[in-house]
Amino acid sequence: MPDADVDLIHRYRPAVERSPLPTLLTVTGEHIVLYANAAFCGLPVVPSGAPAGVRFASLIHGAEAVAALLDRVFRDGVTDVAADVAFACPEGRAFHGTAIVAPLLDERARLRGLVVQILDTTEQVTARARKAQAAWDLQEANEKLIVAGIREQELAERANQSAAELRALLDAMSQGVTVFGATREVVLVNPAGRAMLGLSSESPTLDDYRRCDFRYLGGARLDFEQDVLSRIVQDEPFVEEEALLHLPDGAVRHLVLSGGAVRDARGQVTLAMALYRDVTQVRELEQVREQCMSFITHDLRGSMTAAMYAAEVIGMDRAGYDPQVLAGRIVRSLTRMDEMIRTLLDVQRIRAGHGLPLLLGACDLVATAREVIDDLASFHDQRPVLRGEARVDGIWSQGELRRAIWNLASNALKYGATGAPVVITIEKTPGHAVVAVHNEGPPIPAEDQARLFAPFVRTRAAMAGGQRGWGLGLTFVRGCAEAHGGRVTLVSEAERGTTFTLELPLDARPHQRPG
């Protein structure tokens, strides 16, 4: 092995060994594997045995999908990500992973190879596939019900009854449905369809659809009559085609369109059905998730870069630099990375329904909150204020509660009214302890409150204001509360401000899961 490669292993191996993420190092533009940690060797797509000395493309079945990513990062010297890459396991089962690739620099900051991490996303990809199949099955069932209902109208003795049943079915559907006749007249449209398209009339006509401002995703105009209705009438069914609808008030909705025709015994089109569902919120959540993942990658890389720079300075023994100070910077950077990774792993456990593992013991909740305030006060003057009991003792996990209170308080300082105090109130009730974090300022909209505790969710105001965030803090707070057998609630009003309340039983031991 060349001396340069030995130096690289000596430099980076301790950090790679400590990383809980599957990580390996490569060298040269041929991407020869230099070293892989135990987590990487434990991936189901990695053959048994020491991987060092082989090309990355020949190490993992299906690595061809990542080859272009490695080439691009090695060429450009920037970090990049490939999401949901499908790999092939030796035993034949599916494995999906997100590949994160970053440059590997030597002591002179020269590009020598790459740092490759593969995060297991098999469960998320499988869940999305199941959800898509369920949506398809539901749509197919809805179409069959609609067709069956419309055909029933041809029977005179059941015409009125069938019409009422069909109307009730359509009224209950969240998916928009419009049925056109053979001459393109609107036969019926359900309330969800009228609401999605912004149609005010109870009996809309084709002219109302012509006036709708439909557009393709690229922004080009989409003519509903020519590009949707004509295709259905000409027996060109289509499924799950996405389009944009610009409403008069300036709002934009993302709609997924499907269409099909009903023919009589002679093969003539008698009815044309257009189905559409609103996926605006889904697309917004995807955008927020991508933004949060970008922040996560940036923050992790920033801490890693700071640690690597300090380590390089120590190695070069530059005059004027105190090795102990630099070592302290390395420890702080690695500690920040550890906290970030811990947050990601905790949220992943919460999303998987496993709950947070707690180390329970005697804890004074007031003292814990005071530590949080002392930390925050150094950055926010005297804005954080503690009120309530002088001492509240219980059996809790102090570390997790400190993180939960810190998340609530830091959010209140970040998003509350500038300069206004953030008040943390701790009270003891029969059998419970209550922590309330209150801030003044604009209220959180009701539509955001309903989904605020989900992972990778941020309010529209936070995104519009350019505030950085991962969208994971409140997910952790909820998971922490539930792991203790408690709960977290939110009240946000213009007159009263915003209050997050954490309610905990005084003894969390009876609420722990076996094992």
Side-chain angles (χ1 to χ4, degrees):
M1 180 181 298
D3 292 341
D5 292 349
V6 174
D7 291 340
L8 284 175
I9 290 180
H10 181 72
R11 177 181 298 275
Y12 293 108
R13 180 168 180 169
V16 172
E17 285 181 340
R18 288 193 300 269
S19 174
L21 303 179
T23 307
L24 65 73
L25 310 176
T26 72
V27 290
T28 77
E30 297 297 321
H31 313 309
I32 304 300
V33 176
L34 184 62
Y35 175 73
N37 65 5
F40 194 95
C41 294
L43 291 174
V45 293
V46 177
S48 59
V54 301
R55 294 184 61 188
F56 179 86
S58 63
L59 174 63
I60 297 179
H61 299 284
E64 299 81 4
V66 191
L69 175 66
L70 270 63
D71 291 337
R72 184 164 63 253
V73 173
F74 191 86
R75 181 189 67 237
D76 299 337
V78 298
T79 300
D80 205 347
V81 177
D84 295 342
V85 178
F87 297 95
C89 296
E91 58 269 31
R93 68 182 181 88
F95 177 85
H96 294 264
T98 293
I100 304 174
V101 182
L104 180 65
L105 308 179
D106 63 12
E107 71 280 3
R108 298 183 181 178
R110 296 175 302 185
L111 182 62
R112 289 281 299 127
L114 303 173
V115 179
V116 182
Q117 294 180 319
I118 296 180
L119 309 182
D120 187 351
T121 60
T122 304
E123 183 178 341
Q124 295 92 318
V125 173
T126 303
R128 287 199 298 270
R130 287 196 299 266
K131 185 176 181 181
Q133 182 61 45
W136 172 263
D137 292 342
L138 177 60
Q139 176 177 311
E140 184 175 343
N142 288 339
E143 291 177 356
K144 290 179 180 179
L145 287 172
I146 294 169
V147 172
I150 294 175
R151 285 175 176 172
E152 285 293 326
Q153 295 181 53
E154 298 174 359
L155 304 175
E157 62 184 33
R158 296 191 57 192
N160 293 334
Q161 178 183 355
S162 297
E165 292 174 352
L166 179 60
R167 176 63 63 183
L169 171 64
L170 293 175
D171 288 352
M173 291 176 59
S174 61
Q175 188 176 40
V177 179
T178 303
V179 180
F180 298 90
T183 57
R184 304 193 177 191
E185 75 280 10
V186 178
V187 176
L188 58 87
V189 55
N190 68 343
R194 292 196 302 271
M196 284 185 205
L197 303 184
L199 304 177
S200 58
S201 173
E202 290 283 335
S203 303
T205 66
L206 182 57
D207 285 337
D208 292 310
Y209 287 83
R210 292 189 181 115
R211 286 191 287 268
C212 290
D213 187 4
F214 287 100
R215 303 185 192 180
Y216 291 101
L217 294 182
R221 173 81 181 190
L222 186 155
D223 187 307
F224 183 86
E225 184 175 14
Q226 296 300 320
D227 300 331
V228 177
L229 185 54
S230 292
R231 291 172 61 189
I232 300 173
V233 172
Q234 294 169 10
D235 199 18
E236 297 179 9
F238 56 92
V239 177
E240 299 284 297
E241 293 187 2
E242 191 164 343
L244 303 176
L245 175 62
H246 290 250
L247 299 176
D249 61 2
V252 179
R253 288 180 178 158
H254 290 250
L255 301 181
V256 173
L257 307 176
S258 300
V262 177
R263 296 180 175 273
D264 59 20
R266 296 174 297 174
Q268 300 297 315
V269 173
T270 58
L271 296 171
M273 294 181 295
L275 294 89
Y276 36 95
R277 56 188 178 90
D278 191 341
V279 295
T280 304
Q281 189 176 77
V282 175
R283 296 296 176 263
E284 289 177 351
L285 289 175
E286 290 176 349
Q287 180 182 2
V288 173
R289 184 174 182 271
E290 291 176 2
Q291 183 188 66
C292 291
M293 289 303 297
S294 175
F295 287 157
I296 290 171
T297 303
H298 178 274
D299 292 346
L300 284 170
R301 178 170 170 77
S303 296
M304 180 183 292
T305 301
M308 291 173 60
Y309 175 76
E312 290 174 359
V313 172
I314 291 176
M316 290 184 285
D317 195 21
R318 289 185 179 179
Y321 289 89
D322 187 343
Q324 291 187 345
V325 173
L326 293 173
R329 293 178 183 175
I330 294 174
V331 171
R332 288 193 294 272
S333 295
L334 293 177
T335 300
R336 285 195 298 269
M337 291 178 63
D338 179 71
E339 291 175 351
M340 296 176 198
I341 293 171
R342 183 180 176 189
T343 297
L344 290 171
L345 293 177
D346 285 343
V347 170
Q348 182 64 23
R349 289 182 60 89
I350 294 170
R351 293 179 66 187
H354 299 316
L356 288 179
L358 301 179
L359 183 61
L360 299 177
C363 172
D364 177 8
L365 198 56
V366 176
T368 301
R370 189 174 292 112
E371 291 179 5
V372 173
I373 288 180
D374 290 342
D375 288 345
L376 294 174
S378 60
F379 300 98
H380 300 279
D381 299 325
Q382 301 303 314
R383 288 181 62 194
V385 177
L386 181 62
R387 294 177 181 172
E389 308 278 353
R391 184 180 182 92
V392 175
D393 292 312
I395 304 298
W396 302 301
S397 176
Q398 183 179 16
E400 270 60 43
L401 287 182
R402 188 184 189 283
R403 292 167 64 194
I405 297 173
W406 189 93
N407 272 296
L408 294 176
S410 61
N411 279 351
L413 291 166
K414 184 188 298 184
Y415 301 115
T418 303
V422 168
V423 180
I424 302 176
T425 304
I426 301 180
E427 298 177 341
K428 186 176 181 180
T429 64
H432 288 83
V434 178
V435 181
V437 180
H438 173 80
N439 66 269
E440 301 174 8
I444 301 172
E447 60 270 21
D448 285 336
Q449 293 184 35
R451 59 193 184 95
L452 202 56
F453 291 96
F456 301 108
V457 170
R458 305 183 67 211
T459 65
R460 294 173 176 85
M463 295 185 63
Q467 294 278 14
R468 290 181 59 84
W470 288 14
L472 301 178
L474 291 179
T475 303
F476 172 81
V477 172
R478 183 189 63 184
C480 177
E482 293 176 350
H484 282 87
R487 61 174 183 156
V488 60
T489 57
L490 164 63
V491 175
S492 186
E493 301 173 352
E495 299 80 9
R496 299 167 57 188
T498 298
T499 302
F500 285 87
T501 302
L502 188 64
E503 184 178 356
L504 305 167
L506 293 178
D507 189 347
R509 288 175 294 187
H511 304 279
Q512 303 310 297
R513 297 180 180 180

